[in-house]
Amino acid sequence: MRPSKLRGWPLTFLLAAATGLSVAPFTWLLLSTTRTENEIFDWPPGLTPGGSLGDNLSRLDHRIGLLRVLGNSLLVAGSQTLGALIVALLAGYAFAKFRFRGRSLLFALLLSTLVVPEQVMLVPLFKMMMSFGLLDTYQALILPGLCVPFAIFLMRQALSGLPDELLDAARVDGAGEFRVLWSVVVPVMRPVLAALAIFLFLGAWNQFVWPLVALRSPRMHTLPVALATLQGNQNATDFGAILAGTALSTLPMMVLFLVLQRQFISGLLAGATKG
């Protein structure tokens, strides 16, 4: 082999090793969903699937009501993602393309909320939802996630690079602001919106602390909260059902990424290729 080709082998080996380390835990998770509890703790772990996937899923469905909690999670995560995208688009467009008094101050206040830990807001948020009578409802889970400061910041930065002349041309043709937003801004920002949708859905789908605080009845549980109820003492914890539910919880995120992966990659590379 030529020396120039040999120089690339160390980097290839490092990348392959890093890929293996990243994939190994997920592979173990998938294989463990098909095994009995005794087989899960075998060492060294086996490399072939077992025959207990149906039993694990059946016990999981019996304990938490699998279809119900999946529906709750999809409803909450989907509504929250769609609502947060709309709010981020409108707020980012206003901050980027409109001049109004106090714009810089409002944007600075918005960015300051990024340093506030989520746990600090639990008590005020709980009291607010209790005063509105929204505890143990879908609204209590969806409404707090509609305004995401990071999403607004990202959209504002992306829209700042959109030429004003493009928007002015649409206004000259008689388009109103919402028509400009829908017909001009949204098509151009589609890669950024796709990337942002994946991040927002991931955060909403995996949310655990706030649903645990806001929900009281098992029928309203989302999947992360329902899986947490399966954990007891060492003898009572059903590891097969928990691992099956954990593996199942990754499917919507994988499907969303596969559907939007082209726009996701374009959105991430937009800033790197700009200029």
Side-chain angles (χ1 to χ4, degrees):
M1 297 181 66
R2 296 181 181 179
S4 59
K5 293 184 177 181
L6 290 175
R7 284 197 295 268
W9 277 103
L11 179 60
T12 303
F13 176 78
L14 289 175
L15 292 175
T19 302
L21 290 174
S22 302
V23 173
F26 185 68
T27 303
W28 178 85
L29 170 65
L30 293 180
L31 292 176
S32 296
T33 62
T34 66
R35 297 171 179 164
T36 63
E37 186 167 345
N38 291 331
E39 293 172 341
I40 290 173
F41 294 100
D42 284 345
W43 187 261
L47 300 178
T48 57
S52 301
L53 176 61
D55 293 337
N56 291 334
L57 290 175
S58 177
R59 294 199 310 275
L60 178 67
D61 183 47
H62 176 72
R63 295 281 298 276
I64 66 174
L66 188 56
L67 291 179
R68 186 187 68 250
V69 298
L70 279 176
N72 291 340
S73 290
L74 287 172
L75 176 62
V76 171
S79 301
Q80 195 174 107
T81 300
L82 180 60
L85 281 177
I86 294 174
V87 172
L89 179 63
L90 294 175
Y93 182 64
F95 278 122
K97 296 303 179 183
F98 288 94
R99 303 292 182 266
F100 53 89
R101 182 175 298 179
R103 184 185 66 161
S104 300
L105 177 60
L106 286 176
F107 190 65
L109 290 175
L110 176 71
L111 293 182
S112 67
T113 62
L114 292 173
V115 302
V116 179
E118 179 184 358
Q119 292 77 6
V120 175
M121 303 300 297
L122 287 178
V123 174
L125 194 57
F126 179 84
K127 295 183 68 174
M128 183 184 301
M129 292 300 164
M130 183 171 61
S131 64
F132 293 157
L134 295 179
L135 289 179
D136 204 32
T137 65
Y138 293 120
Q139 294 92 319
L141 302 182
I142 296 172
L143 292 177
L146 295 184
C147 182
V148 182
F150 171 75
I152 297 174
F153 169 76
L154 182 64
M155 286 306 306
R156 186 259 186 188
Q157 296 302 106
L159 287 167
S160 295
L162 189 67
D164 292 335
E165 292 78 9
L166 187 64
L167 306 179
D168 292 336
R171 295 187 183 109
V172 169
D173 288 339
E177 289 300 330
F178 283 102
R179 180 62 182 274
V180 171
L181 188 67
W182 178 255
S183 300
V184 179
V185 175
V186 171
V188 175
M189 291 291 110
R190 190 174 299 168
V192 179
L193 290 171
L196 189 56
I198 292 177
F199 287 122
L200 291 172
F201 186 86
L202 180 64
W205 180 263
N206 290 326
Q207 196 173 28
F208 173 74
V209 177
W210 172 240
L212 184 65
V213 172
L215 298 178
R216 298 175 180 175
S217 57
R219 64 180 180 83
M220 295 297 300
H221 281 174
T222 57
L223 187 57
V225 177
L227 291 178
T229 62
L230 298 178
Q231 298 181 8
N233 56 53
Q234 187 174 2
N235 296 326
T237 301
D238 191 341
F239 290 101
I242 291 175
L243 292 175
T246 303
L248 192 63
S249 69
T250 65
L251 291 180
M253 292 179 287
M254 294 177 63
V255 170
L256 182 65
F257 178 78
L258 290 175
V259 171
L260 300 177
Q261 66 174 357
R262 180 176 298 180
Q263 291 86 352
F264 175 72
I265 295 173
S266 299
L268 293 182
L269 295 179
T273 58
K274 188 177 177 180

